Amino acid sequence: MTLAPQGFVGLTACVGLKQDATDFMLLASAEPGTTAAAVYTQSLFAGPSVLLNRSEDASRFRGVVTLSKNANVATGEQGLANAREVRERAAKLVGCAPEELLIASTGVIGVQYPMETLRAGMDALPAPGPADFEASATAIRTTDTISKLQVRQVGDAVIVGIAKGVGMIEPNMATMLSYFFTDAAVPAAELDAMFRRIVAKTYNAVSVDGDTSTSDTACVIANGLAGEVDLAEFEAAFFDAALALTKMIAADGEGATKLIEVDVTGARDESQARIIAKSIVNSPLVKTAVYGTDPNWGRVAMAIGKCEDQTDIKPRNVTIKFGDNELYPRAVNPERLDALREYLEGDEVVIAVDLGVADGTFTAYGCDLTEEYIHINADYTT
């Protein structure tokens, strides 16, 4: 990787959760004095890692430790004690206080950490070296088919983001696992507000299967070594990186063959636009039609219509397009259906809906639904 933020150290290793791949990732600022922000799942079954993070002051986080293949969720007080121990051991490697590390875990729910195995694995870890963000993006993967990493530069500063996630994805306040690291100097309050704005339009706009994870965690850590930046330029670059990762997550959805983007305009407000966009992108009928290149655009009308509490939406004012192909309210003829079928053969499908109510907008991202999704999730623990 040619560009990387200054002053971060880390390591990746196999500590025994996976038999043949890295399953441990540690990234942290070598120096204290960082600013940070984090958001987490709102699931009622949030795991011990999330609960532990919530109890800390997120603005003080200096680094992240992640274990992959075991979510450590629904594991009770023992699971919480195990998460504390893993965090403490990782903090000693960095030379920081445990509360300065965010901890995350991803994988199977309802299984305790194999602590004897983890202790042996972590005892054998070397001291952290220069941060390897590409290796870190690989280490946090579970059923991901690709590593997800984005880099942007703003003045003298660099921001790098990594993410994982392909299933159990419809975030609520955060997403899967995603971490950003930068050497820009950004005050804590501004960084927190910026991150929440970005998450709302990127990670909270993605859905693979409509299921919110128990472990969703996203954070950003800034160590300030590159000095101050123009905050507007920084936010634009930050947003661009997060949006790129969002699309990578959607396109890499379990079993997916196509990225689906749903652009809703003309809504009463952003909230209404979000409701309609998510209804469309989450519809199994829409998703399977896209997979099968079936020009059954009426399924989009169905997904809008089932939001029956949105009574200010009138069918006579609605427009539905796939790419440049307007399907409603124009009369549909065989030639236009053939054009739609041809469009659906691409690997990215944009569905545009104008509700004709006001000027609210929202864009959601998802993927098609295939037989492979069923195979992956039917056999996940076996």
Side-chain angles (χ1 to χ4, degrees):
M1 201 170 86
T2 56
L3 280 177
Q6 308 169 59
F8 287 94
V9 297
L11 63 89
T12 61
C14 179
V15 293
L17 295 177
K18 296 176 182 176
Q19 293 184 348
D20 56 357
T22 53
D23 52 24
F24 175 90
M25 181 278 280
L26 176 62
L27 282 172
S29 174
E31 300 296 331
T34 55
T35 59
V39 288
Y40 315 103
T41 182
Q42 298 300 294
S43 169
L44 298 177
F45 256 92
S49 295
V50 171
L51 299 179
L52 194 55
N53 294 331
R54 282 181 185 161
S55 70
E56 307 294 358
D57 178 0
S59 68
R60 295 185 58 221
F61 285 143
R62 183 170 149 187
V64 175
V65 59
T66 300
L67 291 175
S68 177
K69 201 177 179 181
N70 184 317
N72 188 28
V73 168
T75 50
E77 289 300 316
Q78 186 60 55
L80 187 60
N82 291 341
R84 283 199 179 96
E85 182 178 341
V86 169
R87 188 181 68 165
E88 288 169 1
R89 287 172 172 268
K92 288 180 181 178
L93 289 167
V94 175
C96 69
E99 57 269 22
E100 292 179 303
L101 275 190
L102 178 145
I103 181 170
S105 201
T106 177
V108 177
I109 291 172
V111 178
Q112 294 284 354
Y113 282 152
M115 288 306 295
E116 290 304 315
T117 299
L118 288 183
R119 289 181 187 116
M122 293 187 72
D123 284 345
L125 291 175
D132 186 335
F133 296 101
E134 292 175 330
S136 297
T138 298
I140 63 176
R141 287 165 54 173
T142 49
T143 55
D144 304 60
T145 66
I146 59 170
S147 298
K148 302 172 177 71
L149 180 146
Q150 292 290 319
V151 183
R152 299 293 185 275
Q153 185 167 18
V154 183
D156 294 329
V158 175
I159 182 168
V160 59
I162 63 174
K164 68 82 53 183
V166 284
M168 198 186 288
I169 293 175
E170 183 170 13
N172 180 12
M173 276 307 293
T175 186
M176 303 61 65
L177 300 181
S178 186
Y179 315 127
F180 292 88
F181 304 89
T182 182
D183 49 9
V186 185
E190 282 83 348
L191 189 63
D192 182 74
M194 182 187 300
F195 193 43
R196 291 176 187 277
R197 287 193 296 269
I198 289 170
V199 166
K201 293 292 184 69
T202 58
Y203 293 153
N204 274 356
V206 67
S207 180
V208 167
D209 47 24
D211 288 333
T212 296
S213 169
T214 56
S215 304
D216 292 342
T217 300
C219 77
V220 55
I221 297 172
N223 65 19
L225 293 182
E228 295 182 357
V229 293
D230 181 286
L231 291 182
E233 291 182 8
F234 181 80
E235 182 167 355
F238 192 173
F239 175 85
D240 190 61
L243 182 59
L245 288 169
T246 296
K247 291 183 177 182
M248 292 177 76
I249 288 165
D252 193 33
E254 288 176 333
T257 65
K258 300 173 187 179
L259 171 68
I260 300 174
E261 179 178 316
V262 180
D263 297 325
V264 175
T265 57
R268 177 181 64 248
D269 50 27
E270 182 180 299
S271 175
Q272 183 181 62
R274 177 191 292 269
I275 289 168
I276 300 303
K278 285 293 190 73
S279 179
I280 295 168
V281 84
N282 279 331
S283 166
L285 291 176
V286 172
K287 292 160 78 72
T288 51
V290 170
Y291 170 55
T293 65
D294 180 5
N296 194 347
W297 62 270
R299 292 179 175 181
V300 174
M302 173 279 301
I304 301 168
K306 72 180 181 181
C307 302
E308 66 270 10
D309 55 340
Q310 306 298 310
T311 56
D312 51 348
I313 298 175
K314 308 299 182 185
R316 64 178 178 272
N317 298 328
V318 173
T319 301
I320 299 172
K321 293 182 180 181
F322 279 65
D324 295 328
N325 304 293
E326 183 176 315
L327 286 309
Y328 181 86
R330 291 178 61 189
V332 177
N333 56 44
E335 291 77 15
R336 287 172 57 215
L337 288 180
D338 287 342
L340 175 56
R341 186 179 290 107
E342 182 178 354
Y343 176 72
L344 290 173
E345 291 176 353
D347 56 9
E348 294 188 14
V349 173
V350 178
I351 301 172
V353 172
D354 190 277
L355 299 177
V357 178
D359 58 2
T361 66
F362 190 79
T363 300
Y365 306 90
C367 60
D368 56 350
L369 180 61
T370 73
E371 298 94 335
E372 185 62 19
Y373 178 89
I374 297 171
H375 295 323
I376 291 170
N377 286 284
D379 301 332
Y380 193 79
T381 63
T382 55

